[in-house]
């Protein structure tokens, strides 16, 4: 169905305005939230090094921590809106450069995981709903509910103990952490990275597909009692055609939201999974920054994570009218 431009433009303006307000709220929250984290960043940086009160004062002045809170906030907002996320206390490097250096590893890990568990979840969710009540549906739903309730870090540790360290007759097959072993190049490097990715990707897929399956199953079950499906069957259409052309497209709106939220998680990565597997991505970097606390780095990562989610939600909202033109009315 076609989307009328006259109805879509006000809808577009409203969604863009809401996204801008959300981004402003992220900037405000990102600044004040991490100011209440206990700990002195300057003392944490100089931990173990004899430092006088005068030297601590110089460091606070150097990082702008001696300025009034309102001035720190205005400088933080002005820098963030121009792409300047400040300088890391811990690494003494621009936050933007640190994020850019770690981003490819996170995109590789979580990007592969999101594609896999979205595809598996949509496929199994559709089959479970269409054959609801049967053995396969009960089995898939039970497994999904179990995995959805499992903490990702606990599952990751369990996989490490079983398949990395080895358990009983099962030998250690995969590395315990990291992204590469080193000393390889070309196709050997690709295989090495893929070998390191198996367990963290499996952890993310096991937890992520369960959520996608349950959302798709519930959405499709709501559509299955519709009169339009009865009409389609009365026209003589095969059951597979009714499902593919009529039921699934109308059940996609909640699942599209889920998929785009998962795409937003690609930038954020998984802090717990990356930490458990020592994956050199943004999740591990956030954990390092929070332990200091490295305020500019924590704030910069928070803005990037939240900004990715806002962008993906905006794209999902803009796509809705093309799936169902009634949304823009």
């Amino acid at each position: 169905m076609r989307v009328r431009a006259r109805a879509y433009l006000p809808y577009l303006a409203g969604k863009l305005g809401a996204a801008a307000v959300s981004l402003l709220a992220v900037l405000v929250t990102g600044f004040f939230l991490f100011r209440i984290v206990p700990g002195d960043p300057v003392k944490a940086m100089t931990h173990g090094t004899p430092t006088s009160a005068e030297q601590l004062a110089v460091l606070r002045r150097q990082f702008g921590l001696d300025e009034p809170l309102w001035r720190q906030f205005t400088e933080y907002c002005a820098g963030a809106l121009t792409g300047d996320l400040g300088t890391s206390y811990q690494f003494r490097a621009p936050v933007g450069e640190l994020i850019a250096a770690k981003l490819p590893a996170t995109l590789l890990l979580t990007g592969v995981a999101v594609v896999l568990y979205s595809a598996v979840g949509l496929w199994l969710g559709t089959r479970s709903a269409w054959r609801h009540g049967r053995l396969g549906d009960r089995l898939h739903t039970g497994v999904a509910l179990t995995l959805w309730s499992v903490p990702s870090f606990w599952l990751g540790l369990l996989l490490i103990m079983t398949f990395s360290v080895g358990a009983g007759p099962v030998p250690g097959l995969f590395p315990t952490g990291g992204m590469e072993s080193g000393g390889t190049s070309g196709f050997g490097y690709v295989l090495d990275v893929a070998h390191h990715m198996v367990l963290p990707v499996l952890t993310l897929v096991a937890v992520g597909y369960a959520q996608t399956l349950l959302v798709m199953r519930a959405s499709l079950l709501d559509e299955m009692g519709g009169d339009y499906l009865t009409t389609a069957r009365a026209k003589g259409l095969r059951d597979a055609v009714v499902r593919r052309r009529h039921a699934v497209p109308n059940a996609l709106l909640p699942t599209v939201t889920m998929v785009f939220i998962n795409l937003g998680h690609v930038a954020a990565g998984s802090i717990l999974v990356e930490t458990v597997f020592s994956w050199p991505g943004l999740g591990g970097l956030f954990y390092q920054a929070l332990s200091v606390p490295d305020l500019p780095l924590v704030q910069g990562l928070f803005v990037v994570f939240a900004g990715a989610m806002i962008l993906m939600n905006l794209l999902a909202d803009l796509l809705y009218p093309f799936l169902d033109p009634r949304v823009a009315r």
Side-chain angles (χ1 to χ4, degrees), residues 54-108:
E54 291 77 10
Q55 290 173 320
L56 292 175
V58 170
L59 286 174
R60 289 193 177 90
R61 190 180 312 113
Q62 178 182 346
F63 291 113
L65 295 175
D66 61 333
E67 296 181 351
L69 194 62
W70 66 268
R71 184 180 293 275
Q72 293 183 43
F73 176 68
T74 55
E75 291 178 354
Y76 157 74
C77 289
L81 293 175
T82 57
D84 181 9
L85 299 175
T87 301
S88 167
Y89 299 159
Q90 184 179 7
F91 299 99
R92 304 294 180 90
V95 170
E97 293 182 5
L98 293 172
I99 293 176
K102 298 291 186 180
L103 184 59
T106 288
L107 292 180
L108 176 63

Side-chain angles (χ1 to χ4, degrees), residues 88-210:
S88 167
Y89 299 159
Q90 184 179 7
F91 299 99
R92 304 294 180 90
V95 170
E97 293 182 5
L98 293 172
I99 293 176
K102 298 291 186 180
L103 184 59
T106 288
L107 292 180
L108 176 63
L109 177 66
T110 55
V112 170
V114 165
V115 170
L116 289 177
Y117 70 64
S118 295
V120 173
L122 288 172
W123 181 62
L124 289 179
T126 301
R127 291 178 62 86
S128 293
W130 205 250
R131 301 176 181 179
H132 64 96
R134 298 184 184 179
L135 178 61
D137 174 40
R138 294 197 298 270
L139 179 63
H140 289 314
T141 304
V143 171
L145 286 171
T146 302
L147 290 175
W148 197 7
S149 62
V150 170
S152 58
F153 72 89
W154 181 84
L155 181 60
L157 290 172
L158 186 64
L159 291 177
I160 288 175
M161 289 188 293
T162 305
F163 297 106
S164 293
V165 179
V170 180
L173 301 174
F174 300 99
T176 57
M179 184 176 174
E180 57 179 303
S181 302
T184 58
S185 60
F187 187 65
Y189 173 78
V190 174
L191 292 178
D192 185 34
V193 172
H195 190 215
H196 283 75
M197 285 179 59
V198 172
L199 293 186
V201 166
L202 182 60
T203 303
L204 293 171
V205 168
V207 176
Y209 105 92

Side-chain angles (χ1 to χ4, degrees), residues 263 280 291 298:
L263 289 174
S291 62
V298 169

Side-chain angles (χ1 to χ4, degrees), residues 290-323:
L290 197 59
S291 62
V292 172
D294 189 338
L295 293 180
L297 185 53
V298 169
Q299 291 170 174
L301 287 167
F302 179 78
V303 170
V304 170
F305 295 165
M309 295 299 298
I310 291 172
L311 177 60
M312 289 300 108
N313 277 305
L314 174 62
L315 292 178
D317 286 337
L318 298 184
L319 180 62
Y320 285 165
F322 296 95
L323 297 175

Side-chain angles (χ1 to χ4, degrees), residues 24-71:
L24 179 60
V26 165
L27 292 176
V28 174
T29 305
F31 179 82
F32 290 102
L33 176 64
F34 298 109
R35 286 299 188 283
I36 63 176
V37 174
D40 186 339
V42 173
K43 289 184 178 180
M45 283 187 294
T46 58
H47 179 69
T49 304
T51 310
S52 65
E54 291 77 10
Q55 290 173 320
L56 292 175
V58 170
L59 286 174
R60 289 193 177 90
R61 190 180 312 113
Q62 178 182 346
F63 291 113
L65 295 175
D66 61 333
E67 296 181 351
L69 194 62
W70 66 268
R71 184 180 293 275

